[in-house]
Amino acid sequence: MNRITSFEQYLSEYKKSVENPEQFWSKQAEEFVWKKKWDKVLDWNFTEPNVKWFIGGKLNITENCLDRHLAERGNQTAIIWEPNNPNETGRKISYKELHSEVCRFANVLKNNGAKKGDRICIYMPMVPELAIAVLACARIGAIHSVVFGGFSFQSLADRIHDADCSIVITADGAFRGAKDIPLKSVIDEALQTCTSVKKVIVLKRTNTEIKMQNSRDVWWQEEIKKVSADFPAEEMDSEDMLFILYTSGSTGKPKGVVHTTAGYMVYVDYTFRNVFQYNKREVFWCTADVGWITGHSYLIYGPLLAGATTLMFEGIPTFPDAGRFWQVIDKYKVNIFYTAPTAIRSLEAVGLDFVKPYKLDSLRVLGTVGEPINEVAWNWYNENIGKEKCPIVDTWWQTETGGIMISPLAGITKTKPSFATLPLPGIQPVLLDESGKELLGNNVEGRLCMKFPWPGMIRTTYKNHQRCFDSYFSHYHGYYFTGDGCKRDENGYYRITGRVDDVIKVSGHLLGTAEIENAINQHPDIVESAVVGFPHEIKGWGIYAFAIDDHGRKDTDELKKEIIATVTKFMGAIAKPDKIQIVKGLPKTRSGKIMRRILRKIAEGDFSNLGDISTLLDPNVVEEIKTGRIN
Ligand code: WTA
């Protein structure tokens, strides 16, 4: 497959991709197996929006991930699986084995009533069966909606309900470090309010005792015995939905980001091969959970489309100790390692003693994703993990973009710490000022938007196209708005400065402040709350919650513990506030809107420049909040 090999070639490919995008992308698409070739490459406008790629094409993405590779690399390892506990034996699954496992599970889904177009929720630990479940959905033409195992029952129920899922695939439990997380019981609780679900397929993983509901629940291991390993892939249209992935928005309800088949396939494959400069037989390790877009695009689809060997790790970076990532790299001779800045910062914090025992000499390329990487962390990663010989690709992208958008090409683009550098071919970023005027030239800072479509982009938000328009296309007419602030330096390099809306990146996880507030408000004593982010050394951003206690309890420590337990129960441990301040009132305008700008400043400890507070309904609350600020 063709790949960019020099910076000059990058420049010329970029030029071609802008001058003639249709020709550029059809050349990439020709590399795949199609059941029927497309009639037209692109149809688009950003006003409805309406974006369609490879119109009229017919295909199945799993034929390109699996069947296409069988002749050449059937016996090559597709997935290396490293369990949570290093004493448990891992697994290596060849392309041939993965193909038959996916076909078998496709038959299981069919036997349990799944049809093309059905939505299937996947709530599983990081085990090979998770990848098998994802691919089996795609094989039968069902739309997968993977929910991160760290979300709890309310978040899960919202997601299952919104997508009207008919089947849930889960496990009895998940091992994470020293903990055993009861997945099935969370499902049971969520399903009390989700009547669309007819079947639950349960993988036995932790042997935790669970309740199986007679007509609804079946065991994965039992079902798989009943089926054959033949399953002809369903014919899908280029624009048929491949998956829904929920992402947090500025309202309490998560958005179901919809990706379709052909454009997503072409885009993740292209970006995977070019950004990481993947060479045949290399081992690629993306540490993201499949519950997030990074896991979809660069743990499963991208590597498998490229015929790579992809490593899946069930555990956490600090179990049994903080050397685990480095130990796994040596164990499997990982060549390309892709992780999040938050992981780098937390491993940097524990000191070099955990790095020293390992050689790390198999590494060739390092990557980061999910949040801005600060210079200190970048340098630490470069010196201690990459030994100053591995290019670092700081990849900027989003759930909505499907794949990497702005990033160096490993070893080709000159890197600069904390800069995502340059747009990939096909990507046309612009910076706009608040009024929507395009900032031309270099040395400018504004809001990052895109002015032209790319194949991997969001098509709609599930069952609610208006929301897609409102969230991404309404701020600046004719542009896709990312929600990020961004600088372009004197050389045209891009540096992402962070979110400009009401979502926060906590340890690289995108969380909506409104969704966290909803969870806090489930506590019977809390009448109202407001959540903002504050800069956090390890997590990037931490969660600061202001909450009004209806009963004016004296013992606020007890109350705070209860609030944390409430958030964990309803939303999940990832959304636990780092700081909770019990307040008598919140700064609101006369029309009742909370002035988050003021709360953000106070949370950061910056009392200067709080702005005009005289328009507040009760300006006195600001004094009270300042006095009670949690350090
Ligand atoms: C942030 C994750 C700086 C950004 C793939 C974006 C980044 C949001 C970077 C999307 C990066 C992602 N540098 N910020 N390299 N990568 N972000 O949807 O704010 O979970 O809008 O997708 O993460 O988060 P999401």
Side-chain angles (χ1 to χ4, degrees), residues 522-593:
Q522 298 292 333
H523 188 288
D525 292 355
I526 301 301
V527 275
E528 196 175 13
S529 60
V531 164
V532 296
F534 69 96
H536 188 289
E537 237 175 65
I538 303 284
K539 300 182 179 183
W541 289 90
I543 301 172
Y544 195 121
F546 299 89
I548 305 176
D549 166 23
D550 210 13
H551 295 85
R553 269 204 240 172
K554 290 264 173 322
D555 185 1
T556 57
D557 282 350
E558 196 52 38
L559 177 59
K560 287 178 190 178
K561 276 192 206 135
E562 290 170 20
I563 292 175
I564 288 176
T566 308
V567 173
T568 307
K569 171 156 186 258
F570 283 86
M571 190 167 168
I574 49 170
K576 275 194 305 206
D578 298 276
K579 297 179 183 182
I580 302 172
Q581 183 178 347
I582 305 298
V583 294
K584 292 214 178 68
L586 292 166
K588 287 189 178 173
T589 60
R590 294 206 175 91
S591 58
K593 201 171 162 268

Side-chain angles (χ1 to χ4, degrees), residues 247 292-294 338 341 368-373 394-401 406 418 420 482-484 496-499 505 508-510:
T247 188
W292 306 104
I293 191 69
T294 308
Y338 190 33
T368 85
V369 59
E371 43 174 332
I373 177 161
D394 175 357
T395 64
W396 174 85
W397 59 295
Q398 311 180 290
T399 304
E400 296 85 347
T401 70
I406 304 183
S418 79
T482 64
D484 280 329
I496 312 301
T497 51
R499 302 295 307 184
K505 269 271 159 166
H509 300 150
L510 194 75

